[in-house]
Amino acid sequence: MKDRKIFLMNNISDYGLREFRDGYSFTNDFEQAQGVLVRSQKMHDTEFPPCLRVIARAGVGLNNVPIDRCSENGIVVMNTPGANANAVKELVLAGLMLASRDIVGGIEWVKANAADENIAARTEKEKKAFAGNEVIGKKIGVIGLGAIGIQVANMCAYLGMEVYGYDPYISVNSAWRLKREVKHAESMDELFDNCDYFTVHVPAVDSSRDLLNKISFAKMKDGVKILNFSREFVVNDDDIAEALESGKVAKYVTDFPGTKTVKMKNTIVTPHLGASTEEAEDNCAKLAVEELQDYLDNGNIMHSANFPDVNVGVCKTDARLAFLHRNIPNMLGQLTAIVGEAGCNIANMQNASKGQYAYTIMDFESKLSAELIDKFKNVEGMLRVRVVKN
């Protein structure tokens, strides 16, 4: 049985680590690692050993992993989208209430007057200063309908809000999971025209940077309330500060403390608590371990940031090779030509691409020679050839 070495970059939940099967062990020597589990450790300056095959992030954001360099080294990078969705959803709902009712102001008043012997009587006189609004009947725009956005949209509908959802890239599976009461917006302008609240749940890509800015705010109603539990750069700091000063935006709730956000008027900032629950850490760790093992044992890729997702199950033939390569013309032609020259028979093959990279798995009806495998490695554009089974 193979002994696959796993290196833990951070403390990983034991709940997830217990999912490792026989044939896996942990190592303190990074140079021996075939797989890495990581949470927040920054890896941009990390030198990768030749034996490293996969990095699994027990979480969603991958800004701490040098994805481009991993791709060039034939290292698959995976994350765990959806595993922490419930935790983030619950915090978003808390943020919605904080934006609607001046709960924070009321708590601070109580603390400031804790020594007052007449605080009970004064409370009845002063509490009107912290009055807010109920969310029932209000309109909320949910920008991004992925694992988290769907749950937020559905819960807001349960709360009696009128929900507008916008996501031009929504998957069929996600669309099926949305409550029928959620209105499908054709554009963000439709949200800007109608909504009293906005909550953003988009991926960390270049197109999501400054998604909400002074142009967006100008199109919104006066006194809107904005929730950002997505990414710090989704809302332009300077523009939201100006909108808060003018009253165009009445309240901003964000989970991303920054030198600017912590000083903004009418802003509630939480210290990146979105996925900070025991349950979310357990779920992320469990899924990361499952993904890592499926790749090392079977060559299957799921939730990868740099290579396409491919799943061909467990190999039932004598051999399986996995090819990580550039997405260039005639790659499959070169591979199949080598197979044909060797007189081998391909029992099953699957190929998929993602941007400039691609992934091919081949199952063979007979074992392969070392010479044949070396020929594959020398194909132009090949990044790595993995012997999954032979």
Side-chain angles (χ1 to χ4, degrees), residues 94-356:
L96 177 64
M97 298 307 163
L98 292 174
S100 303
R101 310 279 293 269
D102 191 8
I103 299 168
V104 173
I107 292 172
E108 291 176 346
W109 180 88
V110 171
K111 287 183 176 180
N113 292 274
D116 188 346
E117 294 181 357
N118 296 315
I119 190 170
R122 284 191 61 202
T123 293
E124 295 307 312
K125 297 179 180 179
E126 302 290 345
K127 68 180 183 181
K128 60 180 179 293
F130 311 109
N133 299 103
E134 298 177 18
V135 299
I136 188 170
K138 304 298 190 301
K139 299 177 181 178
I140 185 168
V142 182
I143 303 171
L145 295 168
I148 298 170
I150 287 172
Q151 292 197 33
V152 171
N154 288 343
M155 287 304 300
C156 288
Y158 281 123
L159 290 173
M161 302 186 78
E162 190 173 335
V163 184
Y164 291 76
Y166 174 74
D167 190 336
Y169 309 108
I170 187 171
S171 67
V172 173
N173 182 55
S174 294
W176 275 107
R177 292 167 55 201
L178 275 176
K179 284 179 61 66
R180 62 190 301 175
E181 291 86 352
V182 177
K183 297 178 173 62
H184 173 232
E186 298 290 342
S187 68
M188 287 181 60
D189 283 352
E190 186 176 344
L191 272 63
F192 298 153
D193 290 341
N194 289 283
C195 295
D196 311 296
Y197 296 80
F198 294 88
T199 181
V200 192
H201 305 283
V202 296
V205 294
D206 289 341
S207 59
S208 64
R209 185 172 295 277
D210 296 335
L211 185 66
L212 295 184
N213 52 46
K214 60 183 177 182
I215 298 174
S216 309
F217 302 139
K219 295 178 180 179
M220 297 177 184
K221 299 177 180 180
D222 292 339
V224 297
K225 295 163 184 176
I226 295 175
L227 313 177
N228 178 15
F229 291 84
S230 178
R231 299 289 187 277
E232 63 271 24
F233 54 76
V234 167
V235 179
N236 183 280
D237 281 346
D238 294 332
D239 294 349
I240 188 74
E242 183 178 331
L244 286 161
E245 285 292 336
S246 69
K248 184 72 178 183
V249 175
K251 189 74 71 174
Y252 180 42
V253 184
T254 178
D255 200 27
F256 307 102
T259 55
K260 294 181 179 180
T261 55
V262 295
K263 300 173 184 176
M264 287 181 190
K265 176 183 179 182
N266 293 329
T267 298
I268 298 171
V269 186
T270 52
H272 203 184
L273 298 176
S276 295
T277 67
E278 288 186 21
E279 294 86 351
E281 291 184 9
D282 288 348
N283 292 337
C284 287
K286 183 175 184 291
L287 181 54
V289 169
E290 290 173 354
E291 293 172 348
L292 183 149
Q293 288 185 112
D294 198 17
Y295 178 66
L296 291 179
D297 289 348
N298 304 307
N300 297 321
I301 296 179
M302 180 171 63
H303 300 146
S304 174
N306 54 348
F307 287 95
D309 288 1
V310 172
N311 190 332
V312 292
V314 176
C315 182
K316 298 180 179 179
T317 58
D318 286 335
R320 172 176 289 179
L321 293 188
F323 305 94
L324 298 111
H325 54 86
R326 301 190 192 285
N327 184 20
I328 56 178
N330 198 36
M331 176 57 75
L332 286 182
Q334 294 182 76
L335 297 180
T336 55
I338 293 173
V339 174
E341 290 172 3
C344 296
N345 188 45
I346 300 174
N348 182 40
M349 180 177 71
Q350 188 164 333
N351 167 267
S353 63
K354 185 171 186 174
Q356 59 183 318

Side-chain angles (χ1 to χ4, degrees), residues 9 30 36 38 40-48 52 55 57 61-78 305-307 357:
M9 277 279 181
F30 187 60
V36 165
V38 63
S40 57
Q41 178 72 35
K42 295 186 183 302
M43 301 183 68
H44 291 281
D45 296 327
T46 302
E47 292 295 327
F48 299 128
L52 184 60
I55 297 172
R57 159 81 160 97
L62 287 165
N63 57 320
N64 60 319
V65 181
I67 294 174
D68 291 343
R69 186 155 60 88
C70 288
S71 302
E72 290 299 309
N73 283 275
I75 299 169
V76 176
V77 179
M78 302 173 173
N306 54 348
F307 287 95
Y357 299 102

Side-chain angles (χ1 to χ4, degrees), residues 18-37:
R18 289 196 295 269
E19 293 296 312
F20 275 113
R21 299 184 283 270
D22 291 341
Y24 286 86
S25 63
F26 302 117
T27 180
N28 293 322
D29 185 357
F30 187 60
E31 294 299 316
Q32 295 184 7
Q34 291 177 280
V36 165
L37 286 171

